[in-house]
Amino acid sequence: MKMEDMSLSGLDNTKLEALAQDIYSDLVEDACLGLCFEVHRAVKQGYFFLDDTDQESMKDFEIVDQPGVDIFGQVYNQWKNKECVCPNCNRSIAASRFAPHLEKCLGMGRNSSRIANRRIASSNNMNNKSESDQEDNDDVNDNDWSYGSEKKAKKRKSDKNPNSPRRSKSVKHKNGELSNSVNADPYKYNYNTGINYETLGPDELRSLLTTQCGVISEHTKKMCTRSQRCPQHTDEQRRAVRVFLLGPSASSLPDADTMVESDCYDASDGQVLMSRLQWDGSSDISPSDSASSKASTNNSDSKKPKKKKKTSLGLNSTGGGGGGSGSGGGSSSQTSLVGLSNRKKKPKLPVPPAPSIYDNLN
Amino acid sequence: KTDQLYGHYCSCLFWLNHRLKELLRAKLTECGWRDQLKAHCKDVIKEKGLEHVTVEDLVVEITPKGRVLVPDSVKKELLQRIRAFLAQHAT
C-alpha cells in the first residue's frame, strides 16, 4: 500500500482518533445493514418465522433450573432401584443389572455364547465318554448332533428368540461347524473358548489338532481354538504342542485323517516337509518343489522314499505341523497315540523334541 | 477533511475492511448482539405487518438500536485495532 500521497503523518492525534471513530462506526453500520438485508430476505422468502413454535410448546421445553433435576426436568437416579421382570425367565431383576441379565438369559451377548459352549463342552465330555461304547451309534450317525449334545442343544434353542436374525445366523453357524466336526470325529468340542487338553481323549486331541491351532496358553492352560493359521501363535508353537500332546513320532497334521487311509508314510513326509518349511522361516506356501525335493532326499535316509506331491501341497496350505522327524512313520504314530494319556500328565516340554528335528535336517 | 482522507483510505484499506469486518461480525454474533437485534426485528415486523415490511423500515428501526447495543468490550477492541493499523501506516 503506497501511503506517500496520503499525508497521514501530518495529522495529529485528534484527527487520527476521529478517523478511527469514523471507520468504526462505518463498520458497525455495515454489520447492521447486513443483518437488515438478511432479515428482510427471510421475511420475503417466508422462512423468517420458521424456527418459532407456539407458546405452549415453548413452555413445555423451557429450561428447568431446579435442584435435583436436570435441565429437562428428569431425575437422575429415578429408575436405578426399580425392579423389572425378565420376560424370559420371569424373575425380578434390579434395573441396573437388567441388561447384563438379559444378555445371559437370552444367550445373545458377547460372553453368553462362550459360557454356554463351555458348559456344553464339559457336559458333553462327561456324556460322551460314557456313551461312546454304546450301540446307539445309529442314533449318533443319524442325527447331526451326538446324543449328549442334542439335549443341550434343544435346551439352548428354546432359550433363544427364533425370530432374531442374529440368533439364527449363529445357530446355523454352529450347526455347520458341528456337523463338519462330527463327520471327522464323533466327539463334540467347542471352538469359541479354549479347551483344556487334559480332559480330552487322544482321538479328540488328534482331531482337534488337525483343525485348530491348539497352542496351549501359558495363562489358562487351554488350547487355542483358532484356525491353523491363527496369527497369535507361530507354527513352531503349534508343532511343539503337537509333539507334546501326541508324541514326537505322531503325525497330527490336518490331513492326517485322510492320509492315514492312503499311506502311512505320507504323514511323516509332510512332517519333515513342514518342519523344513518352518526352519526356512516361511510358514506359508513356499515353493513346494524345493520343499518336496528336500524332503525326499531326507527321507531316503530313514525310510522308503515315498514322495507324493499332492499331499505335500495339501500340507503346505496349513500352517503348523507335528514335530518329529521320520522315525517310524504313520503306523507308529497310531501306537504312540495310545500312550498319550501318560504324556499328557507331564509338564509342558516343547523344547526337547526340537533338536532332534534339526539333527535330521542337518 | 476527514472525509477526504477517509476516501483515500477506503481504496487502500480493502484489507482492513475485509479483515475487520469479519472480526466484528464474529464478535457481535458471539456476544449475542445479533440475536438481540433479530428479536427486535421480529417486533418491528409484527408491528408493520409481515407482508408490507420494507428494507427501509428495518434499516430505520434497526440501525440506531444496533449501534447502541454493541458491547463496550467489542467497541474498545475494534477501535484499538483500527488505531494500531493507522499508526502502522502513518509513517
Side-chain angles (χ1 to χ4, degrees), chain A residues 1 3 6 8-9 11 17 21 23-24 26-27 29-30 35 37-38 40 43-44 48-49 52, chain B residues 5-6 9 12 21 33-34 37 42 45 50-51 53 55 62 67 70 75 78-79 83 89-90:
Chain A
M1 274 192 277
M3 300 284 191
M6 296 171 210
L8 188 54
S9 54
L11 287 177
E17 184 60 30
Q21 291 286 345
I23 295 175
Y24 165 76
D26 243 12
L27 283 175
E29 201 172 313
D30 213 50
L35 184 69
F37 293 146
E38 267 182 54
H40 182 257
V43 166
K44 291 305 175 187
F48 185 63
F49 285 113
D52 280 347
Chain B
L5 271 172
Y6 189 48
Y9 269 89
C12 311
K21 250 195 215 174
W33 173 91
R34 215 182 118 88
L37 265 192
K42 276 187 196 163
I45 291 165
L50 193 64
E51 298 296 324
V53 67
V55 183
I62 300 300
R67 277 204 212 105
V70 175
K75 183 173 180 178
L78 218 68
L79 277 174
R83 281 185 216 121
H89 291 87

Side-chain angles (χ1 to χ4, degrees), chain A residues 216-341:
Chain A
I216 299 175
S217 156
E218 279 183 17
H219 316 287
T220 67
K221 309 281 184 222
K222 291 196 178 169
M223 299 167 62
C224 173
T225 51
R226 295 172 96 170
S227 77
Q228 285 271 351
R229 288 182 154 218
C230 123
Q232 277 178 346
H233 303 115
T234 65
D235 292 330
E236 185 72 35
Q237 285 174 303
R238 283 187 269 270
R239 194 166 43 81
V241 158
R242 276 155 183 78
V243 165
F244 166 61
L245 289 177
L246 301 170
S249 61
S251 76
S252 52
L253 299 163
D255 292 352
D257 283 337
T258 56
M259 277 164 48
V260 162
E261 298 135 17
S262 59
D263 196 339
C264 310
Y265 288 99
D266 291 339
S268 313
D269 265 355
Q271 283 177 40
V272 180
L273 229 157
M274 293 317 298
S275 53
R276 267 259 175 217
L277 289 172
Q278 289 153 28
W279 190 58
D280 288 340
S282 64
S283 63
D284 220 334
I285 301 180
S286 40
S288 47
D289 293 333
S290 59
S292 53
S293 60
K294 280 184 204 166
S296 64
T297 53
N298 189 20
N299 289 338
S300 61
D301 297 334
S302 46
K303 50 185 202 256
K304 302 179 207 170
K306 278 189 188 171
K307 183 187 70 167
K308 290 202 176 165
K309 285 211 170 157
K310 54 181 175 183
T311 58
S312 67
L313 280 174
L315 288 166
N316 280 342
S317 64
T318 63
S325 46
S327 61
S331 53
S332 65
S333 71
Q334 295 190 4
T335 56
S336 67
L337 281 176
V338 174
L340 258 185
S341 52

